[in-house]
Amino acid sequence: MLILIKGAGDLASGIALRLFRCGMDIVMTELEKPTSIRRTVCFSEAVFHKTASVEDVEAVLSDKERALEVVSRGKIAVIVDPACACRETLKPDVLVDARLMKRNDGTTMADAPFVIGVGPGFTAGTDCHAVVETQRGHRLGRVIWQGAAEKNTGIPGFIAGFSVERLLRAPDDGEFVTQKSIGDIVKKGETIATVNGKPMTAEIDGVLRGLLPDGARVKLGMKSGDIDPRCEREHCFTASDKALAVGGGVVEAILWNMNRK
């Protein structure tokens, strides 16, 4: 079964891991310049480095002509294709929109025999066949067959009692100059990076779980990093609980759809 996933960020990569381990063939699409924060667990890194590994699963940068050959070698194919035009050539069995844009940017039920929308912006029965909930809480990872996911609140979920304090945002427009690396332990008030000499500082103690690469171009207020207050360094290099929960919902939706035919 061929699964085409729009997006290759951390949530999309957690979905890809679960599907890949269930024996499914995976192709993912990405932007020309991805802005993933949790780069150590994102298959989008293949765009910059030609290959990327997450939990010993390897993705390879490809194009629509070579994607199926990459998949046949037991790897995930990543294609730079923001419009997901490759679906017309690949003809996937399932399309999963996991870009987390908080809105539907053109995905329809006609894009594949079975279409799944991940998170807010999609309505099952209208623009996709099923929606998987991404909001932390009791409904995380649940499959919705009629209706929409919970609306985006704009407020990150709580981890160890912290929410918005976990996020790091660019202090100015310009070039992002890092002083730390993913996996570093940081203290409240410590400078993580600068933009035009202006510091981006930590609001809490924790481990730096996500960070844009040195030299990235940013805009004022752009999400540029993520601190995990649980301070478990190994969490920086494995898919998150949220990504795997959502991935489980996608697996459930696909298998349920197969079995009810």
Side-chain angles (χ1 to χ4, degrees):
M1 176 176 285
L2 179 62
I3 315 294
L4 180 58
I5 302 177
K6 287 184 174 183
D10 66 306
L11 207 65
S13 296
I15 293 169
L17 280 176
R18 290 234 139 153
L19 294 172
F20 181 86
R21 289 168 175 161
C22 289
M24 300 182 192
D25 296 330
I26 312 295
V27 176
M28 309 178 81
T29 63
E30 251 300 347
L31 302 172
E32 185 177 357
K33 294 182 178 179
T35 56
S36 302
I37 301 297
R38 293 203 60 208
R39 294 177 290 116
T40 50
V41 291
C42 291
F43 290 122
S44 60
E45 285 295 282
V47 175
F48 297 115
H49 307 294
K50 307 302 181 185
T51 64
S53 292
V54 180
E55 297 189 15
D56 297 323
V57 175
E58 185 179 5
V60 176
L61 183 63
S62 182
D63 52 39
K64 63 183 180 182
E65 288 77 21
R66 297 184 299 118
L68 295 183
E69 186 272 328
V70 170
V71 166
S72 72
R73 293 191 278 116
K75 303 180 188 300
I76 291 173
V78 177
I79 303 174
V80 174
D81 183 8
C84 200
C86 65
R87 71 180 183 277
E88 298 178 4
T89 300
L90 297 176
K91 301 188 184 308
D93 300 293
V94 178
L95 182 139
V96 181
D97 192 331
R99 294 173 295 171
L100 299 183
M101 298 179 68
K102 320 302 183 189
R103 59 186 175 85
N104 185 352
D105 188 35
T107 295
T108 74
M109 286 193 287
D111 289 342
F114 188 57
V115 177
I116 301 172
V118 176
F122 299 100
T123 302
T126 300
D127 47 24
C128 58
H129 298 92
V131 174
V132 177
E133 181 61 66
T134 58
Q135 184 81 309
R136 285 189 182 274
H138 182 70
R139 292 174 55 80
L140 177 64
R142 290 181 181 269
V143 182
I144 301 165
W145 293 100
Q146 198 68 41
E150 293 183 28
K151 293 183 179 180
N152 178 40
T153 63
I155 301 174
F158 282 90
I159 294 179
F162 295 99
S163 175
V164 293
E165 305 92 338
R166 297 189 291 109
L167 297 186
L168 296 165
R169 296 191 180 277
D172 202 356
D173 297 350
E175 183 179 349
F176 191 72
V177 180
T178 59
Q179 299 183 16
K180 298 289 182 179
S181 300
I182 293 175
D184 285 351
I185 304 299
V186 298
K187 295 292 184 180
K188 181 178 180 179
E190 194 169 358
T191 297
I192 309 302
T194 59
V195 181
N196 297 326
K198 296 181 180 179
M200 182 181 77
T201 58
E203 292 190 27
I204 60 173
D205 297 349
V207 64
L208 197 57
R209 190 172 67 159
L211 188 68
L212 287 176
D214 189 61
R217 302 299 299 182
V218 297
K219 295 288 187 181
L220 175 65
M222 179 177 170
K223 183 179 176 182
S224 303
D226 174 27
I227 295 174
D228 189 335
R230 294 169 295 190
C231 227
E232 297 285 347
R233 190 174 185 275
E234 60 268 28
H235 290 183
C236 302
F237 306 100
T238 54
S240 70
D241 52 350
K242 179 177 179 178
L244 293 181
V246 173
V250 172
V251 172
E252 177 188 328
I254 291 172
L255 294 182
W256 179 265
N257 182 63
M258 289 172 57
N259 292 331
R260 69 179 181 175
K261 290 182 178 179

